[in-house]
């Protein structure tokens, strides 16, 4: 029989996309059991387990980050705060002095494994907030020397574990029964220990292998005091250092929100399900299942994944799996997270990304997630288009839309500054740059001009830079932007959103002239996108061109199409008259001039585009003929055809009149 798990009581009735059944969140006292014959029945769970599960029905204020309440809590605990400050400053300054002393004695610090180990131990002792800093650095081979990188990587899942007795007590408190009653098997020791919890391998009484994550003790107290200290430091810097215009307090509050959410495993389980619903359909992406009847605030039970870290390239290659391909899959998934649905994984370090034995990319740990609002998502796409298009005036306006610049900012000096930032890309593809280099260049600008960093941006950069760090580790020549542009091209061609249609217009037209090379580039890149649908592009393109919103592009395309037809007609007539004069000998026939250079170029572009379309996945001449037949009876398409025919006729008549007057 199959036992279906139930979500928390806070979840509405919804269809389980994994098995096609309805799940109700307000019935905590039953689980739905489906025998092999397909009929379902309800059975009651253990009373002990149910008693603990009912904690879900009430809100847990301590799971929410509230900087005002935290400040009030520590307001009268100055001794405790000072003790924490000195406990951080003391070992940190001691370590920094050791590095300085080594360098003075001629020791190559970046190759010193002893100091690298000390740094790892220091961050571990300082607690979860500092461990997360180390985890972020562990993905940057372009910033951190190899010896330090190797040590910092251990912070991802090789931290010192806490005693089993405490973990077992948490399981009993959260699930209402001791581990031996809840699970059929549980590993004697944790198989991984991270910043916020440790993981055991287990087996349910129904036979499924699971990962059981148990939260560290006294976690909240240790994190809140660090956030309180850092928030006060950020406020002081923001007030005293005039060059800092970014909302440092807002950025820290955003991070605090995410960390507090990460400490609530019910919230993490809900994140995992939402992530599966949005991205589980992407080719070679795998999202583990959550077992809700064995999950609560400090204990999470999820499907066990047999896999290898992406950075263990030799082990992955030995299994016949292409690690670089999986990074490409991860980049495509990240693009959809950031630019399509806005719900993104903000902590994609190597411990959270595994290559499964069947060659898929599995995402783990859904505690630190964040969201981007639609205006910001479209603003990011527009910014990418303007960078590629070298439209730095448009890019400066994008930064206003994205809240990096206030609306009253004078953009005049900023536009040439952007041109300088991307000067290395002049004459080459912007995709050859990496995110880190662009971020560093832009960071320098933020001190010179009145930029501010909006809170949402910090987690986006953390996510992208972390992913790029893994990619560079696997392949030093990997360019995330190069992998991203096919997806952006596909969105520009298929997304009906007004913002992206305006971006498409900006991309295709300059000084009122149509730029065929841009369209060629878009079509070439878009066909490399995994989910590019030629038929969808055709249908949406026709629909857009025949609508009022597409009037500008339609009119220009009609003109270009007429030029192409005119050039074709001129060439045919030129060849025919040349044949009559030179082969037949009819010298009385005047040789008709061929198409102009400009017209010939237009004709060549049209030929290239037709060639690109023929080579695009999904192009089927038979199906295309059927579609064209259907389109021909469409009134909008007929109107478009009439426009082209009328313009072409007008042009032909005007040329005839000119020739008659000239003769």
């Amino acid at each position: 029989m199959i036992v279906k798990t139930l979500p928390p009581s806070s979840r509405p009735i919804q269809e389980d996309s994994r098995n096609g059944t309805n799940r109700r969140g307000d019935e905590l006292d039953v689980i739905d059991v489906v025998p092999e014959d397909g009929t379902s029945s309800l059975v009651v769970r253990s009373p002990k387990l149910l008693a603990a599960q009912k904690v879900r029905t009430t809100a847990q204020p301590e799971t929410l980050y509230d900087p005002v309440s935290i400040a009030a809590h520590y307001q009268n605990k100055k001794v405790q705060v000072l003790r924490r400050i000195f406990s951080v400053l003391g070992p940190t300054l001691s370590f920094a002095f050791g590095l300085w002393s080594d360098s003075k004695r001629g020791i190559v610090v970046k190759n010193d494994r002893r100091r690298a180990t000390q740094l790892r131990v220091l961050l571990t002792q300082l607690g979860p907030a500092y461990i997360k800093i180390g985890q972020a650095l562990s993905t940057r081979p372009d910033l951190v020397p190899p010896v330090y990188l190797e040590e910092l990587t251990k912070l991802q899942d090789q931290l010192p574990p806490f005693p089993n007795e405490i973990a077992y007590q948490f399981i009993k408190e959260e699930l209402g029964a001791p581990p031996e009653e809840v699970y059929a098997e549980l590993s004697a020791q944790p198989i991984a220990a991270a910043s916020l919890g440790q993981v055991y391998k287990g087996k349910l009484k129904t036979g499924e292998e699971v990962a059981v994550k148990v939260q560290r003790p006294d976690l909240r107290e240790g994190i809140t005091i660090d956030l309180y200290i850092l928030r006060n430091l950020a406020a002081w810097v923001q007030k005293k250092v005039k060059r800092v215009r970014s909302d440092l307090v807002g950025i820290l509050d955003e991070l605090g929100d995410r960390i507090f959410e990460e400490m609530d495993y019910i919230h993490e389980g809900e994140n995992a399900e939402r992530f599966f619903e949005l991205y589980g359909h992407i080719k070679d992406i795998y999202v583990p299942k959550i077992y809700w009847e064995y999950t609560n605030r400090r204990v999470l039970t999820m499907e066990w994944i047999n896999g290898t870290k992406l950075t263990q390239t030799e082990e992955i290659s030995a299994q016949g799996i292409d690690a670089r391909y999986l990074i490409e899959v991860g980049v495509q998934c990240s693009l959809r997270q950031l630019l399509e649905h806005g719900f993104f994984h903000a902590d994609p370090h190597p411990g959270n990304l595994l290559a499964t034995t069947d060659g898929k990319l599995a995402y783990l740990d859904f505690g630190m997630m964040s969201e981007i609002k639609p205006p910001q998502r479209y603003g990011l796409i527009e910014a990418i288009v303007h960078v590629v298009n070298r439209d730095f005036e448009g890019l400066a306006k994008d930064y206003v839309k994205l809240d990096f610049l206030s609306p009253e900012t004078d953009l005049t000096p900023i536009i040439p500054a952007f041109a300088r930032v991307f000067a290395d890309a002049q004459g080459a593809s912007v995709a050859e740059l990496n995110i880190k280099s662009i971020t560093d260049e832009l960071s320098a600008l933020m001190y010179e001009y009145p930029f501010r960093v909006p809170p949402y941006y910090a987690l986006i950069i953390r996510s992208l830079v972390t992913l790029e760090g893994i990619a560079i580790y696997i392949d030093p020549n990997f360019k995330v932007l190069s992998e991203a542009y096919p997806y952006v091209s596909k969105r520009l061609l298929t997304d009906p959103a007004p913002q992206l249609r305006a971006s498409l217009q900006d991309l295709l037209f300059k000084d009122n002239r149509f730029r065929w090379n841009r369209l060629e580039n878009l079509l070439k890149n878009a066909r490399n996108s995994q989910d590019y649908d030629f038929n969808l592009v055709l249908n949406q393109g026709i629909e857009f061109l025949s609508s009022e919103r597409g009037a500008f592009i339609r009119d220009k395309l009609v003109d270009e199409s007429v030029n192409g037809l005119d050039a074709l007609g001129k060439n045919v007539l030129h060849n025919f008259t040349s044949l009559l004069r030179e082969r037949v000998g009819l010298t009385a026939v005047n040789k008709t001039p061929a198409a102009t250079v400009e017209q010939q170029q237009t004709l060549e572009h049209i030929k290239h585009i037709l060639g690109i379309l023929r080579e695009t996945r999904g192009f089927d001449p038979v199906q295309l003929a059927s579609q064209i037949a259907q389109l021909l009876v469409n009134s909008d398409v007929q109107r478009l055809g009439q426009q082209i025919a009328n313009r072409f006729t007008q042009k032909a008549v005007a040329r005839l009149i000119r020739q008659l007057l000239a003769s």
Side-chain angles (χ1 to χ4, degrees), residues 84 119-138 151-160 193-197 216 219 223 226 259 347 349 462:
R84 177 57 179 165
L119 177 61
R120 172 179 59 80
V121 172
L122 171 63
L123 293 173
T124 301
Q125 291 172 345
L126 291 180
Y130 297 91
I131 289 169
K132 288 201 168 291
I133 294 171
Q135 288 176 343
L137 290 172
S138 73
E151 285 296 320
L152 293 177
T153 299
K154 296 176 182 177
L155 295 174
Q156 293 164 9
D157 55 11
Q158 298 177 46
L159 294 170
S195 55
L196 304 188
R216 287 185 177 274
L219 187 61
I223 285 179
D226 282 338
I259 291 177
D347 194 21
H349 65 70
R462 172 189 166 89

Side-chain angles (χ1 to χ4, degrees), residues 558-572:
V558 166
D559 288 340
E560 294 293 335
S561 300
V562 168
N563 285 337
L565 288 172
D566 190 31
L568 186 63
K570 278 186 174 182
N571 284 343
V572 169

Side-chain angles (χ1 to χ4, degrees), residues 420-469:
R420 288 196 302 273
V421 166
F422 296 103
D424 292 339
Q426 296 297 333
S429 170
V430 175
E432 292 174 11
L433 296 175
N434 60 44
I435 293 169
K436 177 64 173 55
S437 66
I438 293 175
T439 303
D440 287 348
E441 294 282 0
L442 291 176
S443 296
L445 278 189
M446 289 180 182
Y447 288 102
E448 190 176 347
Y449 298 101
F451 283 91
R452 59 195 180 195
V453 178
Y456 74 88
Y457 179 73
L459 286 174
I460 294 175
I461 287 300
R462 172 189 166 89
S463 176
L464 283 176
V465 169
T466 301
L467 184 65
E468 185 180 65

Side-chain angles (χ1 to χ4, degrees), residues 2 95 140 232 266 279 401 404 424 514 597 615 622 656:
I2 303 168
F95 176 75
R140 298 305 310 188
N232 279 298
I266 292 175
Y279 314 114
K401 293 179 192 173
F404 283 84
D424 292 339
F514 190 83
V597 173
E615 296 168 5
V622 176
L656 180 62

Side-chain angles (χ1 to χ4, degrees), residues 78-321:
K78 290 184 168 46
V79 174
Q80 183 182 351
V81 172
L82 284 172
R83 191 183 300 127
R84 177 57 179 165
I85 291 172
F86 286 121
S87 71
V88 171
L89 278 180
T92 302
L93 292 175
S94 174
F95 176 75
F97 178 78
L99 293 179
W100 176 81
S101 176
D102 285 350
S103 65
K104 289 296 181 184
R105 287 184 290 140
I107 297 174
V108 182
V109 174
K110 68 177 184 179
N111 296 331
D112 190 347
R113 183 169 295 278
R114 180 176 55 92
R115 290 298 185 190
T117 304
Q118 283 181 357
L119 177 61
R120 172 179 59 80
V121 172
L122 171 63
L123 293 173
T124 301
Q125 291 172 345
L126 291 180
Y130 297 91
I131 289 169
K132 288 201 168 291
I133 294 171
Q135 288 176 343
L137 290 172
S138 73
T139 64
R140 298 305 310 188
D142 51 336
L143 296 179
V144 181
V147 172
Y148 285 78
L149 202 69
E150 187 178 336
E151 285 296 320
L152 293 177
T153 299
K154 296 176 182 177
L155 295 174
Q156 293 164 9
D157 55 11
Q158 298 177 46
L159 294 170
F162 58 90
N164 280 347
E165 293 75 20
I166 297 176
Y168 294 165
Q169 180 62 30
F170 282 6
I171 291 174
K172 184 177 180 179
E173 290 175 5
E174 295 296 312
L175 303 184
E180 60 270 20
E181 290 185 24
V182 177
Y183 303 102
E185 295 177 13
L186 201 65
S187 58
Q189 296 298 327
I191 51 90
S195 55
L196 304 188
Q198 60 192 34
V199 179
Y200 297 84
K201 184 177 182 180
K203 183 179 283 188
L204 300 180
K205 295 186 184 295
T206 49
E208 298 97 327
E209 286 190 332
V210 293
V212 182
K213 184 157 75 168
V214 186
Q215 194 171 109
R216 287 185 177 274
D218 304 322
L219 187 61
R220 199 168 306 276
E221 181 70 17
I223 285 179
T224 50
I225 192 168
D226 282 338
L227 287 173
Y228 171 74
I229 293 169
L230 291 171
R231 193 175 191 273
N232 279 298
L233 179 62
W236 183 87
V237 170
Q238 199 169 305
K239 183 178 180 180
K240 299 293 184 181
V241 183
K242 298 302 181 185
R243 293 189 70 185
V244 175
R245 289 174 289 266
S246 299
D247 184 4
L248 297 183
V249 173
I251 291 171
L252 199 70
D253 285 344
E254 178 80 9
L255 184 63
D257 279 333
R258 301 290 84 78
I259 291 177
F260 266 65
E261 287 174 357
E262 198 173 359
M263 289 189 286
D264 180 3
Y265 288 167
I266 292 175
H267 188 78
E268 179 174 345
E270 292 174 329
N271 284 343
E273 287 200 336
R274 185 179 175 193
F275 194 89
F276 170 79
E277 289 163 5
L278 293 176
Y279 314 114
H281 67 281
I282 297 175
K283 179 175 166 51
D284 293 327
I285 290 290
Y286 193 84
V287 183
K289 180 180 179 180
I290 302 297
Y291 291 91
W292 282 112
E293 62 265 47
Y294 310 108
T295 294
N296 215 325
R297 192 166 60 84
R298 292 182 296 174
V299 177
L300 175 72
T301 303
M302 69 192 304
E303 178 184 356
W304 178 263
I305 301 294
N306 289 309
T308 310
K309 286 184 186 178
L310 283 185
T311 48
Q312 295 175 313
T313 51
E314 291 183 5
E315 291 88 337
I316 292 175
S317 297
Q319 300 173 53
I321 299 169

Side-chain angles (χ1 to χ4, degrees), residues 474-576:
I474 292 171
D475 178 2
N477 296 316
F478 193 97
K479 303 296 182 186
V480 170
L481 289 177
S482 180
E483 297 293 330
Y485 199 56
Y487 170 78
V488 172
S489 299
K490 189 265 305 186
R491 284 290 299 277
L492 283 172
L493 290 169
T494 60
D495 197 315
Q499 298 96 320
L500 295 192
R501 290 305 187 194
S503 292
L504 180 63
Q505 179 175 311
D506 290 342
L507 186 69
L508 295 180
F509 293 94
K510 185 176 183 181
D511 300 329
N512 230 19
R513 295 179 63 83
F514 190 83
R515 295 192 286 184
W516 287 98
N517 59 322
R518 294 289 187 191
L519 181 58
E520 285 182 41
N521 191 38
L522 271 181
L523 292 169
K524 281 179 184 176
N525 278 286
R527 70 183 181 187
N528 294 325
S529 182
Q530 289 181 355
D531 53 356
Y532 181 70
D533 187 334
F534 172 80
N535 295 313
L536 178 66
V537 173
L538 180 65
N539 290 331
Q540 289 192 343
I542 295 289
E543 180 186 351
F544 174 67
L545 288 175
S546 57
S547 69
E548 287 185 17
R549 291 177 295 117
F552 179 81
I553 293 182
R554 180 179 64 239
D555 290 343
K556 297 300 177 185
L557 274 179
V558 166
D559 288 340
E560 294 293 335
S561 300
V562 168
N563 285 337
L565 288 172
D566 190 31
L568 186 63
K570 278 186 174 182
N571 284 343
V572 169
L573 194 56
H574 172 76
N575 292 336
F576 180 68

